[in-house]
């Protein structure tokens, strides 16, 4: 059987994909400076809802880019998001990716305090003495705990990427972060996921990399 | 600030989420035996398009469940899908998860043959002498190569989960797999991803586990 494939070289597929996305977005207005992030989320999901649901606090993107260039580390709430983040690109600026969800002490603290492991893993992250970007793609309880830690003065993140996906307390947890005194990128509503969390981190990394060329 | 969260215990969140999904699906008719897979994809993405775009070959689910129970291994095309698969649940039946994308020999063969690494990693997988389920969430070229390997008699997978996401050759590669003589679960159209690939594997694992209770 002969299959009709578009003749695009592997290295050109991403470029062609972004051209298609830009073309199909048509007249949709994106906030200046956020376009590459929004388009990469659409690229990762083939879901044009991200053109509408991604919300950025004033100056969040530039603040995050500066933080990464100054060696900020990433904390995620899933091993999947950790696996998806371009760790080599991040390491160029001195950053690392942490996910504490499978740690034994996190499991113990969660059990002791009657919380989720996501909550306990945010507590563990708050003990790091480094500039931090949180990329939350799964657990609304992680966002709620981040809000509490910020309100109580225990944490001052460089950025919160708040993109948990789901049906229970997801919408509320994102609205909470959008009221916190913290730079944020949030996918308003139910959508998001570990893939979107990793994708937003990678979009930031590629923005820095491209601006260096 | 007081935040209004739905009072659902962590262990009950998944159950409540599935209730919401079932309720919002309303009169949508799902193919009997595929419901748990479709609903888990919606749970993973908050995207109800998966109620329409997931296509199952006749008997694919039962065949896959039997294969897993007989120790089938999973081959993925991303580290992210590998990270998302419940490896503990799979190991109960003797299965493992492989992703060859970062392997040195795969990089070398791809360069030598002028293919993508995804193509080369499918060739490597074809050399495994185990029953195999392929979970492809990223690379259309992986699906195209699987099709060729099957047509040429080098490979007889237990199941292909064909859910790459994207804008270039993604739709065509999925249509190709749906014409191959192989059990398949395919997300027709542009949507899919590593998260959906992992989610479908996990749905199969949970179906086996629940039926044992």
């Amino acid at each position: 059987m002969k299959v009709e494939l578009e003749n695009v070289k592997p290295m050109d597929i991403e470029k062609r994909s972004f051209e298609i996305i830009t073309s199909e977005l048509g007249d949709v207005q994106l906030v200046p400076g956020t376009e590459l992030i929004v388009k990469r989320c659409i690229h990762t999901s083939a879901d044009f809802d991200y053109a509408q649901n991604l919300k950025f606090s004033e100056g969040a993107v530039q603040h995050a880019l500066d933080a990464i260039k100054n060696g900020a580390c990433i904390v995620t709430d899933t091993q999947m998001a950790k696996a998806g983040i371009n760790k080599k690109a991040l390491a160029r600026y001195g950053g690392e990716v942490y996910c504490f969800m499978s740690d034994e002490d996190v499991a113990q603290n969660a059990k002791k305090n009657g919380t989720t492991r996501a909550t306990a893993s945010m507590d563990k992250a708050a003990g790091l003495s480094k500039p931090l970007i949180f990329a939350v793609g799964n657990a609304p309880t992680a966002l709620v705990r981040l809000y509490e830690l910020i309100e109580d003065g225990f944490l001052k993140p460089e950025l919160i990427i708040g993109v948990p996906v789901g049906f229970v307390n997801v919408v509320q947890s994102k609205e909470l972060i959008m009221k916190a005194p913290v730079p944020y990128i949030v996918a308003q509503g139910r959508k998001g996921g570990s893939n979107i969390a990793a994708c937003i981190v990678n979009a930031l990394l590629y923005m820095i990399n491209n601006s260096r060329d």
Side-chain angles (χ1 to χ4, degrees), chain A:
Chain A
M1 200 183 79
K2 183 86 184 80
V3 56
E4 290 294 326
L5 293 180
E6 201 176 337
N7 187 15
V8 182
K9 287 184 195 140
M11 64 200 68
D12 293 333
I13 285 178
E14 184 166 305
K15 186 165 164 272
R16 177 80 190 111
S17 300
F18 275 75
E19 285 167 3
I20 294 170
I21 293 166
T22 301
S23 156
E24 294 195 16
L25 278 170
D27 292 338
V28 174
Q29 293 294 316
L30 303 176
V31 178
T34 70
E35 297 93 337
L36 289 176
I37 297 169
V38 175
K39 288 180 189 177
R40 187 163 286 277
C41 287
I42 296 171
H43 178 255
T44 279
S45 61
D47 188 341
F48 281 83
D49 277 8
Y50 289 100
Q52 314 294 341
N53 69 22
L54 284 173
K55 305 295 173 192
F56 300 77
S57 67
E58 182 79 31
V61 173
Q62 191 55 53
H63 187 80
L65 297 177
D66 291 342
I68 291 172
K69 284 190 262 187
N70 289 322
C73 289
I74 314 289
V75 179
T76 80
D77 66 331
T78 60
Q79 302 296 347
M80 214 175 159
K82 184 179 173 182
I85 291 170
N86 190 329
K87 289 166 281 291
K88 217 170 179 179
L90 182 65
R92 259 181 234 143
Y93 313 101
E96 288 177 79
V97 184
Y98 299 103
C99 175
F100 299 127
M101 291 294 288
S102 319
D103 291 9
E104 193 47 47
D105 57 336
V106 164
Q108 282 170 0
N109 283 332
K111 198 171 177 187
K112 192 176 72 186
N113 299 323
T115 71
T116 65
R117 280 187 299 148
T119 299
S121 78
M122 294 300 115
D123 286 338
K124 181 164 180 173
L128 295 169
S129 53
K130 302 177 177 185
L132 297 177
I133 290 175
F134 288 83
V136 176
N138 186 55
T141 53
L143 288 188
V144 172
R145 188 62 183 140
L146 287 177
Y147 176 82
E148 292 169 347
L149 288 165
I150 293 166
E151 286 288 298
D152 294 344
F154 293 123
L155 190 64
K156 199 174 177 311
E158 303 299 325
L159 175 74
I160 294 181
I161 298 169
V163 294
V165 59
F167 296 85
V168 176
N169 290 332
V170 164
V171 171
Q172 297 93 317
S173 71
K174 292 171 179 174
E175 295 297 323
L176 194 61
I177 289 301
M178 292 174 70
K179 287 170 188 154
V182 64
Y184 65 77
I185 301 174
V186 161
Q188 213 169 18
R190 288 171 168 178
K191 287 185 176 176
S194 298
N195 54 335
I196 296 293
C199 160
I200 292 173
V201 174
N202 289 339
L204 292 167
L205 288 167
Y206 301 149
M207 286 170 79
I208 300 176
N209 206 42
N210 290 340
S211 69
R212 290 163 76 221
D213 292 341

